[in-house]
């Protein structure tokens, strides 16, 4: 049976979901702009391929960490964490909050931060190819090789 109360509840959920989606999208854009801005400054000033590769590895590692945090929060059991919080263990109170909001935390870590950083790693890969060679014939092969390496490191992580 469908009542007016159910309809009102669904409309409120839809509005909340739209608001959450907009906020998450803005966070993703802000993260991408900040990381991209600082990495561009560093690579433009130095132009060194080694620094570009270091930034790429850092971005990949941060993406792996974000994915791991999101997965851990989603898989965590609240009972042992509550026991630690009752014993006033350091960080247990924060862990309880994270596990209680695991769906949102995992979404932000895995789908926002992780995806943004993984996308940026591809952009940095292309930047490295451009820094290595300007020959279009070589760029295709280098792009494939660097993309394969980025994917391998990300999946292994």
């Amino acid at each position: 049976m469908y009542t007016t109360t159910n309809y009102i509840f669904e409309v409120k959920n839809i509005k909340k979901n739209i608001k959450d989606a907009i906020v998450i999208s803005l966070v993703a854009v802000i993260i991408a702009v900040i990381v991209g801005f600082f990495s561009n400054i560093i690579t433009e000033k130095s132009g060194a391929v080694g620094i570009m590769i270091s930034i790429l590895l850092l971005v990949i590692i941060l993406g792996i960490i974000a994915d791991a945090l999101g997965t851990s929060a989603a898989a965590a059991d609240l009972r042992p964490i509550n026991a630690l919080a009752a014993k006033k263990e350091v960080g247990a109170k924060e862990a309880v909050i994270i596990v209680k909001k695991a769906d949102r935390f995992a979404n932000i870590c895995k789908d926002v931060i992780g995806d943004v950083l993984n996308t940026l790693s591809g952009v940095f890969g292309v930047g490295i190819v451009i820094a290595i060679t300007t020959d279009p014939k070589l760029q295709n092969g280098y792009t494939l090789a660097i993309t394969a390496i980025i994917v391998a490191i990300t999946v292994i992580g």
Side-chain angles (χ1 to χ4, degrees):
M1 181 174 207
Y2 198 74
T3 65
T4 306
T5 307
N6 290 344
Y7 174 75
I8 292 170
F9 182 70
E10 286 180 17
V11 170
K12 287 181 182 178
N13 279 343
I14 291 170
K15 287 181 182 178
K16 182 182 179 304
N17 289 341
I18 290 171
K19 180 184 169 196
D20 288 348
I22 291 170
V23 169
I24 288 170
S25 296
L26 290 174
V27 169
V29 168
I30 290 168
I31 291 169
V33 168
I34 290 171
V35 172
F37 177 75
F38 286 112
S39 64
N40 280 341
I41 288 174
I42 292 168
T43 55
E44 281 180 9
K45 298 285 183 199
S46 68
V49 175
I51 292 175
M52 295 172 79
I53 291 171
S54 298
I55 292 171
L56 172 62
L57 291 175
L58 178 66
V59 168
I60 291 171
I61 290 168
L62 291 175
I64 291 168
I65 291 170
D67 285 343
L69 287 172
T71 302
S72 298
D77 184 14
L78 190 57
R79 289 174 294 202
I81 298 171
N82 274 330
L84 291 172
K87 294 177 184 177
K88 307 250 189 243
E89 292 289 330
V90 176
K93 182 180 173 183
E94 292 80 6
V96 168
I97 294 168
I98 288 172
V99 173
K100 282 185 177 179
K101 297 181 180 186
D103 57 336
R104 294 185 81 178
F105 185 82
N107 184 336
I108 289 169
C109 283
K110 294 170 66 175
D111 295 335
V112 178
I113 297 170
D115 289 354
V116 166
L117 292 174
N118 290 333
T119 301
L120 286 173
S121 68
V123 171
F124 294 134
V126 170
I128 291 169
V129 169
I130 292 170
I132 292 172
T133 183
T134 56
D135 184 359
K137 293 177 184 174
L138 293 176
Q139 282 181 345
N140 288 337
Y142 285 154
T143 301
L144 283 173
I146 289 179
T147 301
I149 292 168
I150 291 170
V151 169
I153 293 170
T154 303
V155 171
I156 287 170

